[in-house]
């Protein structure tokens, strides 16, 4: 049941209204002395206030202002009670935030319907506010910013989430088209420029767009943007837009893809390993068994038989050697023990020499003399990344020339793999969004898991360069 | 007096194979068997053998590390690495660690006793099939010792232009690359040459003759 507070210095009015309200099904409180208003509000929940305009002491209008400026009670609707028809006074009441007024003497029908509509307006406002705050929450969870563009004076307004997305504060980065463009990643400016022109100059919406922005801390985020033009009498007045930070979504989709692909590659490798072992190693064992079987069945009584057995043994030795080499190659492909035994530099050297011989490449390696030894996790990662990068060069770069340089500086390990081949498109090396090359994406993941960073530069016809840096965790720990 | 020998391998089957081989042979006595590098170092300290045979890939301590420790603790004990890897890296590291011989496991076993005798007498030995690759490797290492090979072709072009006093923008324009790329190259060069600012970089490049300087 709604609680209605009556504030009036006239006992009869209070009595009348009190009776009427209870007959309408409301419960009511009252006070003859306006100074008790806030005391009552603080002690009891009140849904509506009926406030007399003319009272001795503090008058209704100034009391109304106090209620409307109060941090907690300002949302309680107030209906003014007045015997006065002075328009100035009424205007003052509405300006101060009164929802309605009722003329004295009070008619029951008028009271009933005004109270009812005031309470229903209050309910609507409360539910709108609730929706607004859940929308605000939703926007924050979805890292979604809202902006509004005024087509007449070309000003822009950003919601607080927009600043979060840009990683800026409103004082140093006021909302404007210029600042919006300034945040865009330079490589995406070409894409975004025509979109912005269409939208803000020609008032045309050309679908949705994804692009990258750079924050002041140099981190790159991917955002999704869509806009809507609001017209009035056929003319564009406002442009409403949302900008959403979709970096995490994109990253997790890309990771899912990459891991799926990685599993697939792993299965393919297992299959290949099983095939190699079966086709090459098992066949050698079978041959050996066959040959040794024949030899044991001979009693070597003739010289011819003796010679044959001797040859047969020679043959077996050769087979064993072949098997040995094959197995060693397979084992080395699985895990190069030189990495564990001698460390990263020699392992890279052996790998590159082998690659140069087998694939007819001319890859040069330079290991800076101060490389030292690194945690095995880092050495393995750097070895695998180099392997992957060189495989890419063998497969795609269309050049035999490449360089691998590795060294350390201030306890940061750095590696560079560069080729003079055909190069890649910028989109292919854009590792923040859905990458074209999952290999490169996984490379980046591996480096960032180790607390390092990787930069890739490539241009068509100019080759590709990968540069990575990984800090030594044992040093940082200390 | 026979040659006192310690054999080291983490595979019992290999150890028993070697034992079998030397049983037939006069002039050898196997005084100890170790199953990893750490074990071998301790045995050598206790027994001071004439010669120790070490496998390379072993748990706890590998053969190269063990060779280094043995050389330090028992300088009179000769070391022969007995390995399945013919990579020149292994061979070079083995000799650097103080080994006198590098033998391959798939070599003809009959040759083993005479080789070990020669090694005990102060000679060195490398398997024939590994000799060539070691020579090529050492040549390769010498070549890479120069600072110049630290820089890629592109970086050398950029370094030259930096020394010539060109701005990142000019360099990018001349080489038809983006300014961002040129900037990254510059950063990488400084990282590689361990310099912190352009002035030091230029001085370094000139004093190490990484660039040509034209005087007008």
């Amino acid at each position: 049941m709604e609680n209605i507070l009556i504030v009036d210095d006239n006992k009869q009015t209070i009595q009348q209204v009190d009776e009427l309200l209870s007959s309408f099904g409301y419960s009511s409180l009252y006070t003859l002395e306006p100074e008790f208003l806030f005391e009552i509000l603080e002690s009891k929940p009140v849904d509506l206030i009926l406030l007399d305009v003319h009272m001795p002491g503090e008058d209704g209008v100034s009391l109304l202002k106090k209620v409307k400026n109060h941090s907690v009670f300002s949302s309680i609707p107030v209906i003014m009670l007045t015997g006065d028809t002075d328009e100035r006074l009424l205007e003052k009441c509405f300006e101060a935030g009164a929802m309605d007024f009722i003329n004295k003497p009070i008619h029951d029908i008028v009271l009933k319907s005004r109270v009812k509509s005031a309470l229903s307006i209050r309910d609507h406002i409360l539910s709108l506010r609730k929706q607004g705050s859940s929308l605000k929450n939703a926007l924050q969870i979805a890292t979604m910013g809202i902006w509004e563009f005024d087509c007449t004076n070309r000003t822009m307004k950003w919601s607080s989430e927009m600043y979060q997305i840009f990683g800026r504060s409103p004082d140093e980065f006021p909302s404007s088209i210029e600042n919006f463009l300034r945040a865009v990643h330079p490589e995406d400016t070409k894409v975004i420029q025509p979109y912005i022109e269409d939208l803000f100059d020609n008032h045309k919406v050309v679908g949705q767009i994804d692009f990258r922005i750079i924050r002041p801390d140099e981190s790159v985020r991917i955002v999704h943007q869509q806009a809507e033009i609001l017209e009035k009498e056929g003319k564009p007045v406002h442009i409403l837009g949302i900008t959403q930070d979709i970096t995490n979504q994109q990253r997790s989709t890309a990771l899912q893809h990459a891991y799926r692909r990685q599993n697939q590659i792993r299965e393919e490798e297992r299959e290949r390993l099983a095939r190699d072992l079966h086709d090459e190693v098992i066949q050698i064992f079978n041959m050996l068994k066959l040959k040794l079987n024949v030899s044991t069945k001979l009693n070597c009584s003739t010289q011819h038989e003796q010679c044959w057995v001797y040859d047969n043994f020679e043959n077996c030795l050769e087979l064993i050697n072949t098997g040995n080499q094959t197995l060693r190659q397979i084992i080395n492909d699985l895990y190069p023990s030189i990495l564990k035994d001698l460390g990263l530099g020699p392992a890279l050297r052996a790998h590159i020499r082998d690659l140069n011989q087998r694939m007819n490449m001319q890859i040069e390696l330079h290991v800076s003399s101060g490389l030292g030894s690194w945690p095995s996790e880092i050495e393995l990662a750097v070895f695998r990344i180099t392997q992957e990068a060189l495989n890419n060069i063998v497969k795609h770069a269309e050049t035999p020339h490449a360089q691998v340089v590795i060294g350390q500086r201030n306890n940061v390990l750095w590696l560079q793999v560069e080729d003079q081949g055909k190069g890649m498109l910028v989109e292919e090396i854009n590792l923040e969004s859905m990458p074209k090359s999952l290999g490169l994406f996984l490379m980046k993941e591996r480096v960032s898991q180790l607390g390092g960073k990787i930069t890739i530069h490539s241009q068509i016809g100019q080759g590709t360069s990968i540069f990575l840096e990984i800090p030594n965790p044992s040093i940082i720990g200390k | 007096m026979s040659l006192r020998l310690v054999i080291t391998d983490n595979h019992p089957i290999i150890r028993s194979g070697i034992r079998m081989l030397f049983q037939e042979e006069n002039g050898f006595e196997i005084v100890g068997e170790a199953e990893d590098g750490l074990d071998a170092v301790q045995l050598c300290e206790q027994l001071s053998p004439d010669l120790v045979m070490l496998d390379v890939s072993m748990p706890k301590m590998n053969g190269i590390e063990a060779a280094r420790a043995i050389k330090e603790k028992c300088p009179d004990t000769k070391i022969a690495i007995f390995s399945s890897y013919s990579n020149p890296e292994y061979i070079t590291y083995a000799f650097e660690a103080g080994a006198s011989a590098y033998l391959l496991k798939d070599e003809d076993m009959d040759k083993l006793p005479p080789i070990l005798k020669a090694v005990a007498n102060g000679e060195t030995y490398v398997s024939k099939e590994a000799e060539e690759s070691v020579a090529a490797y050492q040549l390769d290492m010498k070549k890479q010792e120069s600072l110049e090979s630290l820089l890629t072709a592109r970086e050398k072009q950029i370094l030259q232009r930096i020394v010539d006093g060109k701005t990142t923008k000019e360099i990018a324009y001349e080489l038809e690359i983006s300014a961002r790329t040129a900037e990254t190259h510059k950063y990488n060069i400084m990282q590689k040459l361990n310099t912190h600012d352009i002035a030091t970089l230029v001085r370094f490049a000139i004093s190490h003759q990484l660039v040509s300087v034209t005087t007008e």
Side-chain angles (χ1 to χ4, degrees):
Chain A
M1 205 194 288
E2 280 101 337
N3 251 344
I4 298 169
L5 171 64
I6 314 153
V7 186
D8 201 311
D9 61 326
N10 187 321
K11 251 189 186 154
Q12 274 143 4
T13 313
I14 288 188
Q15 205 172 2
Q16 183 207 358
V17 175
D18 186 37
E19 275 168 21
L20 282 172
L21 287 176
S22 69
S23 75
F24 302 149
Y26 300 111
S27 83
S28 51
L29 307 154
Y30 56 84
T31 175
L32 287 158
E33 285 146 89
E35 57 267 32
F36 290 130
L37 171 66
F38 282 99
E39 221 167 280
I40 297 171
L41 288 178
E42 261 152 39
S43 61
K44 297 244 167 65
V46 169
D47 298 287
L48 173 67
I49 302 169
L50 301 178
L51 182 60
D52 188 18
V53 179
H54 294 295
M55 283 181 292
E58 193 155 14
D59 78 280
V61 180
S62 95
L63 210 51
L64 169 67
K65 277 184 189 158
K66 275 188 190 162
V67 173
K68 286 294 147 189
N69 288 327
H70 195 275
S71 58
V72 182
F73 307 125
S74 64
S75 60
I76 302 174
V78 180
I79 298 177
M80 305 303 284
L81 305 175
T82 173
D84 214 321
T85 45
D86 177 0
E87 281 183 16
R88 273 291 301 141
L89 186 67
L90 286 180
E91 203 181 337
K92 260 169 128 181
C93 287
F94 283 120
E95 269 170 12
M99 188 176 275
D100 210 343
F101 72 96
I102 298 172
N103 273 328
K104 287 181 182 175
I106 293 164
H107 288 280
D108 53 353
I109 308 280
V110 173
L111 181 70
K112 191 181 179 181
S113 59
R114 297 260 162 106
V115 164
K116 197 179 162 195
S117 75
L119 286 171
S120 106
I121 288 170
R122 183 206 57 159
D123 288 345
H124 283 304
I125 290 173
L126 283 183
S127 94
L128 269 178
R129 243 186 233 153
K130 220 166 123 193
Q131 279 175 23
S133 81
S134 46
L135 177 65
K136 188 138 186 74
N137 278 336
L139 290 176
Q140 258 185 352
I141 291 166
T143 47
M144 195 186 273
I146 302 178
W147 50 264
E148 201 181 313
F149 178 75
D150 189 322
C151 299
T152 24
N153 58 19
R154 294 184 65 82
T155 53
M156 219 178 179
K157 251 194 259 164
W158 294 345
S159 73
S160 59
E161 291 83 10
M162 286 294 283
Y163 292 101
Q164 273 172 29
I165 293 172
F166 288 134
R168 307 265 194 172
S169 76
D171 335 319
E172 47 109 12
F173 204 68
S175 49
S176 67
I177 300 181
E178 290 69 34
N179 274 342
F180 191 93
L181 274 170
R182 262 175 57 199
V184 175
H185 193 291
E187 281 164 13
D188 289 351
T189 319
K190 256 187 280 175
V191 193
I192 199 84
Q193 199 91 43
Y195 174 87
I196 295 278
E197 273 169 29
D198 268 339
L199 193 59
F200 297 122
D201 298 338
N202 311 330
H203 307 305
K204 245 171 49 194
V205 179
V206 218
Q208 310 166 356
I209 191 165
D210 291 356
F211 55 92
R212 290 170 295 169
I213 55 163
I214 298 187
R215 288 185 179 170
D217 63 2
E218 293 208 331
S219 61
V220 177
R221 309 295 297 177
I222 311 160
V223 296
H224 170 83
Q225 180 163 297
Q226 57 192 87
E228 189 188 350
I229 296 170
L230 300 183
E231 294 185 345
K232 203 171 171 187
E233 292 156 9
K235 272 189 181 164
V237 189
H238 278 103
I239 302 174
L240 287 181
I242 57 160
T243 303
Q244 188 183 11
D245 185 334
I246 53 167
T247 317
N248 293 344
Q249 288 97 308
Q250 288 260 345
R251 215 180 83 89
S252 66
T253 325
L255 266 180
Q256 268 173 19
H257 271 269
Y259 286 139
R260 207 174 301 146
R261 176 78 191 117
Q262 207 178 28
N263 276 334
Q264 202 182 334
I265 291 170
R266 200 166 291 155
E267 282 307 316
E268 281 166 14
E269 268 169 8
R270 283 187 185 157
E271 205 186 311
R272 190 176 53 87
L273 178 64
R275 204 178 42 236
D276 283 356
L277 286 174
H278 178 266
D279 290 355
E280 301 187 35
V281 183
I282 298 293
Q283 297 320 313
I284 288 171
F285 273 107
N286 287 343
M287 288 281 284
L288 273 175
K289 193 177 168 191
L290 200 77
K291 282 181 185 289
L292 292 173
N293 244 339
V294 178
S295 300
T296 51
K297 291 207 173 85
L298 293 169
N299 49 20
C300 297
S301 48
T302 66
Q303 195 176 358
H304 175 74
E305 271 183 357
Q306 281 170 12
C307 278
W308 192 89
V309 168
Y310 181 80
D311 280 353
N312 206 21
F313 277 137
E314 289 265 284
N315 240 320
C316 286
L317 268 179
E318 248 169 64
L319 272 175
I320 289 172
N321 272 339
T322 318
N324 205 349
Q325 269 167 17
T326 315
L327 265 180
R328 211 176 293 155
Q329 184 65 47
I330 291 172
I331 291 166
N332 192 53
D333 284 351
L334 282 176
Y335 185 88
S337 55
I338 187 170
L339 185 62
K340 198 174 67 217
D341 292 334
L342 303 183
L344 190 53
L348 286 176
R349 197 169 295 287
H351 176 68
I352 288 172
R353 187 180 45 247
D354 181 53
L355 202 62
N356 281 345
Q357 275 165 11
R358 277 191 298 130
M359 310 309 291
N360 214 4
M361 298 290 287
Q362 288 174 33
I363 304 163
E364 283 171 32
L365 170 72
H366 183 101
V367 181
S368 167
S369 50
L371 178 62
S373 66
W374 291 76
S376 55
E377 192 193 9
I378 292 181
E379 293 207 335
L380 182 62
V382 171
F383 183 82
R384 292 296 188 210
I385 287 169
T386 315
Q387 235 179 349
E388 167 89 16
L390 291 177
N391 277 349
N392 285 345
I393 294 173
V394 170
K395 269 195 246 165
H396 308 295
E398 293 175 9
T399 174
H401 298 283
Q403 279 152 311
V404 177
V405 194
I406 186 165
Q408 72 97 22
R409 174 183 172 180
N410 302 335
N411 271 300
V412 174
L413 175 80
W414 55 261
L415 167 83
Q416 183 182 34
V417 182
E418 191 171 300
D419 67 69
Q420 282 79 50
K422 67 170 190 177
M424 288 185 281
L425 289 167
V426 175
E427 294 90 86
E428 288 179 276
I429 53 171
N430 170 10
L431 297 186
E432 286 89 23
S433 61
M434 193 59 201
K436 292 272 185 331
S437 157
L438 289 176
L440 289 183
F441 183 77
L442 286 173
M443 221 183 255
K444 192 195 165 207
E445 276 302 307
R446 200 159 187 177
V447 172
S448 54
Q449 271 165 19
L450 292 168
K453 59 175 183 179
I454 189 166
T455 45
I456 302 176
H457 280 286
S458 192
Q459 246 174 295
I460 293 295
Q462 299 271 20
T464 302
S465 171
I466 297 175
F467 194 87
L468 65 86
E469 290 166 282
I470 300 173
N472 194 340
S474 55
I475 301 295
I476 288 169
K478 281 170 200 164
Chain B
M1 214 174 99
S2 58
L3 203 72
R4 296 172 67 249
L5 190 65
V6 165
I7 54 179
T8 317
D9 202 299
N10 55 326
H11 303 101
I13 193 169
I14 300 278
R15 292 204 303 271
S16 72
I18 298 173
R19 205 171 252 289
M20 232 165 69
L21 181 75
F22 284 106
Q23 251 160 23
E24 311 280 306
E25 206 69 36
N26 282 329
F28 287 93
E29 186 197 348
I30 293 175
V31 293
E33 279 185 33
E35 54 178 29
D36 59 59
L38 215 55
D39 215 9
V41 177
Q42 280 165 2
L43 269 182
C44 286
E45 270 187 296
Q46 279 169 29
L47 305 169
S48 308
D50 298 310
L51 201 141
V52 59
M53 282 176 76
L54 293 168
D55 183 20
V56 173
S57 288
M58 286 184 294
K60 290 185 197 166
M61 185 191 267
N62 70 42
I64 310 274
E65 290 166 315
R68 209 169 284 135
I70 292 168
K71 198 76 230 163
E72 200 190 301
K73 289 178 174 154
C74 334
D76 294 333
T77 298
K78 300 280 190 240
I79 300 162
I81 303 284
F82 190 52
S83 153
S84 28
Y85 307 114
S86 59
N87 295 9
E89 285 80 10
Y90 275 110
I91 301 169
T92 312
Y93 273 65
F95 280 99
E96 274 171 11
S100 303
Y102 195 98
L103 305 152
L104 293 177
K105 281 185 181 168
D106 54 9
E107 223 160 347
D108 194 349
M109 284 295 165
D110 294 343
K111 284 201 223 153
L112 215 52
I115 292 171
L116 290 189
K117 268 188 189 145
V119 169
N121 281 329
E123 285 178 40
T124 55
Y125 177 84
V126 179
S127 288
K128 277 275 166 304
E129 77 176 270
E131 245 175 4
E132 213 171 292
S133 67
V134 172
Y137 169 78
Q138 273 156 2
L139 197 76
D140 196 31
M141 288 298 284
K142 213 164 238 152
K143 207 170 77 188
Q144 81 120 52
E145 270 166 23
S146 75
L147 263 176
E148 210 185 333
S149 66
L150 199 64
L151 300 179
T152 66
R154 178 60 99 197
E155 285 165 353
K156 279 179 208 159
Q157 288 177 317
I158 287 168
L159 181 59
Q160 179 68 55
R161 283 166 175 78
I162 293 173
V163 172
D164 291 344
K166 288 185 174 134
T167 65
T168 307
K169 248 187 185 164
E170 288 169 329
I171 296 173
Y173 180 76
E174 276 184 31
L175 299 177
E176 294 178 8
I177 53 179
S178 73
R180 220 174 133 83
T181 306
E183 200 53 56
T184 317
H185 279 303
K186 209 156 97 181
Y187 170 79
N188 293 351
I189 296 170
M190 287 170 64
Q191 179 81 322
K192 284 168 149 192
L193 298 179
N194 207 356
T195 52
H196 300 267
D197 55 75
I198 292 294
T200 325
L201 177 69
V202 170
R203 267 204 306 281
F204 186 92
I206 294 171
S207 64
H208 289 82
Q209 296 178 320
L210 296 175
V211 289
S212 59
V213 187
T214 48
T215 43
E216 278 152 48

